[in-house]
Amino acid sequence: MKPPFNFTRFLPMAARLLGRGRLPTLLFAVAAKGSSQGNRLGKLKDDLKLLQALCLAYWRGEYRAISPKALISIVAGLMYFLSPIDAIPDFIPMFGMFDDIAVLAWVMKTLEGELSAFRAWRNAQRPEKLAVVERLPATPALLAEENPQKN
């Protein structure tokens, strides 16, 4: 399946973001935009939360059963979602979110196998553990301190 227009330019940026340890900042921005969009995202709000949960579990070292290419694609999709200037700028009323939704849907469809494996992993975890793994602390800096790779 061919990637959506303009998506591929986000892939190198996503790789750099991951390499520089900037994932916490991205996740906080995604959470803020996701909650501010309310019902405009529809079912994709749950998909957005799933992608965020996967990134949090990866960041905390709890879930590593994902290919680097898939993780970069997920991060690129989240970056596209955040970008106000993309194929259809977000400030255009009623239409600005269409391309963001299309990119997130494409990521969900393309990485269906990887995301199914993550869902299975999540279903096998105790609820108390998931509450800790998927919790966003008060600031991106606090989340950055939790990265087990730095310790």
Side-chain angles (χ1 to χ4, degrees), residues 7-23 26 58-59 68-77 79:
F7 174 74
T8 54
R9 76 179 178 101
F10 285 86
L11 292 170
M13 291 186 283
R16 281 193 305 274
L17 181 133
L18 284 167
R20 293 177 180 159
R22 303 284 299 160
L23 189 58
L26 176 75
Y58 181 84
W59 178 258
K69 184 178 177 180
L71 183 63
I72 289 170
S73 292
I74 289 168
V75 170
M79 291 174 75

Side-chain angles (χ1 to χ4, degrees), residues 41-51 108 122:
L41 293 175
K43 181 206 173 294
L44 278 177
K45 191 164 190 170
D46 293 335
D47 295 341
L48 189 63
K49 287 181 182 182
L50 179 73
L51 297 176
M108 296 300 294
R122 279 178 87 198

Side-chain angles (χ1 to χ4, degrees), residues 20 23 25 31 39 46 57 67 83 91 94 97 104 110 116 124 142:
R20 293 177 180 159
L23 189 58
T25 303
N39 294 334
D46 293 335
S67 72
S83 177
F91 58 81
M94 297 181 63
M97 290 297 295
L104 289 176
T110 303
S116 292
L142 289 173

